[in-house]
């Protein structure tokens, strides 16, 4: 009952996603669903997955709380999909164990688990219209026609697709197809939702729209969600916690804010946005600041203020570091300006919001860079 999984799979060529649902999941009312949700909880204990000589996942330990939205973020090949496949039961760990609601599921292949997983390589079955696509997981559970219809109508209205039930998948836009895929993953009330690059095929505006859709669905249903992405903004926007993976291992697990603002390592700092590495700490940082060994000093571009030399100094000067540099170039990006400023041998990036009445600084101009000393982070090299 508690092991129901809904799985939207990253799909390469066609942008479709695949769905697998546990046919034994609760199909009853909210009461049963609440019970399932209360049980849902995921734990990886020292899980390793080798593909021949490739260690795709290395000694991974991780737990996901009930109702949590956890995102696995990392570059291509870092083991994100493999981690999700292990959880879904489409791959078995080489070592270690996975627990869902306290019960080991790792040693049992997916088709032998008491889950009745339905797996298709496409999100939507092309020959079925929207309604039939959505009904399919319910039919697998033996739900009666009237209840199926009611459920499909409910979920379609929830994902703003009412009226499109007779369309074939090929007659829907990419965003609409993703909505149907999401609706289908949710329609049987699974306690766990797995998403692998669910928005990868969408353009920026649609992505943002779908992100807020996923976020509000998560809030509404309280469903334990594990999402895989290599998109930093998506991870920061959606997640309660982010796991950053690197070469099959966890580099850091933390809240979005902590992982962006207090990255543990240089890898995490650079993966989650731009990072200035302050290579000459004696010069760049307050001399008495103690830098732990084996760390480097880092500051985010938006923490550096750029000002003309004749601009008034900040009042809290004693808290600030102030250095003089020369603007090498300015990149205009709508509401933001990005400056590359040379300070000695170091090229620093500073980012500022465009403000009325403050003209852009020009290449070649001598400027003052200032930042709060407390904004400098020491990260593992
Ligand atoms: N079936 C397989 N056989 C052999 N090696 C595999 C297999 N699946 C994945 N790998 C390897 O395992 C590593 C992790 O792959 P995985 O698909 O988990 O990465 P990912 O983080 O999802 O990457 P992407 O962002 O590109 O989807 C890679 O080196 C990949 O080449
Ligand atoms: Mg992948």
């Amino acid at each position: 009952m508690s092991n129901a999984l809904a799985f939207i799979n990253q799909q390469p060529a066609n942008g479709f996603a695949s769905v697998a649902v546990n046919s034994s999941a609760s199909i009853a009312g909210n009461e049963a669903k609440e019970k399932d949700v209360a049980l849902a909880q995921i734990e990886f204990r020292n899980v390793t997955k080798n593909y021949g000589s490739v260690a795709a996942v290395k000694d991974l330990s991780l737990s996901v709380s009930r109702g949590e939205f956890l995102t696995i973020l990392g570059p291509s090949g870092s083991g994100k999909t493999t981690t999700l496949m292990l959880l879904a039961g489409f791959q078995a760990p080489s070592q270690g164990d996975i627990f869902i609601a306290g019960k080991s599921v790792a040693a049992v292949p997916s088709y032998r688990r008491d889950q009745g997983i339905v797996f298709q390589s496409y999100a939507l079955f092309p020959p079925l219209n929207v309604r039939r696509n959505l009904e399919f997981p319910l039919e697998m559970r033996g739900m009666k026609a009237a209840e199926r219809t009611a459920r499909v109508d409910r979920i379609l209205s929830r994902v703003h697709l009412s009226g499109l039930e007779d369309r074939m998948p090929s007659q829907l836009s990419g965003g609409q197809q993703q909505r149907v895929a999401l609706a289908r993953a949710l329609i049987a009330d699974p306690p766990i939702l797995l998403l692998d690059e669910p928005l990868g095929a969408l353009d920026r505006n649609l992505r943002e729209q779908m992100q807020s859709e996923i976020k509000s669905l998560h809030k509404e249903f309280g469903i334990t969600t594990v999402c895989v992405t290599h998109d930093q903004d998506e991870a920061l926007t959606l997640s309660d916690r982010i796991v950053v993976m690197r070469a099959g291992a966890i580099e850091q697990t933390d809240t979005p804010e902590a992982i962006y603002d207090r990255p543990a390592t240089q890898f995490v700092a650079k993966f989650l946005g731009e990072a200035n590495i302050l290579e000459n700490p004696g010069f760049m940082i307050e001399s008495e600041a103690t830098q732990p060994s084996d760390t480097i000093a880092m500051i985010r571009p938006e923490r550096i203020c750029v000002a003309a030399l004749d601009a008034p100094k900040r009042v809290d000067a004693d808290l600030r570091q102030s250095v003089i540099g020369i603007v090498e170039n300015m990149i205009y990006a709508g509401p933001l300006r990005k400056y590359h400023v040379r300070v000695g041998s170091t090229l620093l990036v500073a980012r500022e919001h465009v403000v009325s009445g403050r003209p852009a600084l020009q290449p070649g101009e001598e400027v003052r860079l200032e930042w709060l000393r407390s904004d400098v982070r020491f990260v593992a090299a």
Side-chain angles (χ1 to χ4, degrees), residues 197-271:
E197 306 275 2
L199 311 179
L202 306 182
D203 69 38
R204 191 193 170 102
N205 283 343
L206 212 47
R207 258 180 114 87
E208 284 178 5
Q209 230 175 51
M210 282 297 289
Q211 280 170 12
S212 57
E213 191 65 45
I214 289 177
K215 211 176 158 117
S216 74
L217 281 166
H218 175 256
K219 209 167 163 192
E220 191 175 319
F221 290 91
I223 186 168
T224 308
T225 305
V226 181
C227 178
V228 158
T229 185
H230 61 264
D231 183 314
Q232 302 85 330
D233 292 337
E234 198 161 296
L236 291 169
T237 307
L238 289 175
S239 322
D240 294 316
R241 273 190 313 152
I242 297 174
V243 174
V244 178
M245 283 189 77
R246 178 190 191 183
I250 293 177
E251 186 89 353
Q252 186 174 359
T253 306
D254 233 317
T255 60
E257 196 175 345
I259 222 154
Y260 181 78
D261 191 41
R262 305 207 162 262
T265 66
Q266 185 175 184
F267 177 85
V268 174
K270 288 184 170 169
F271 199 72

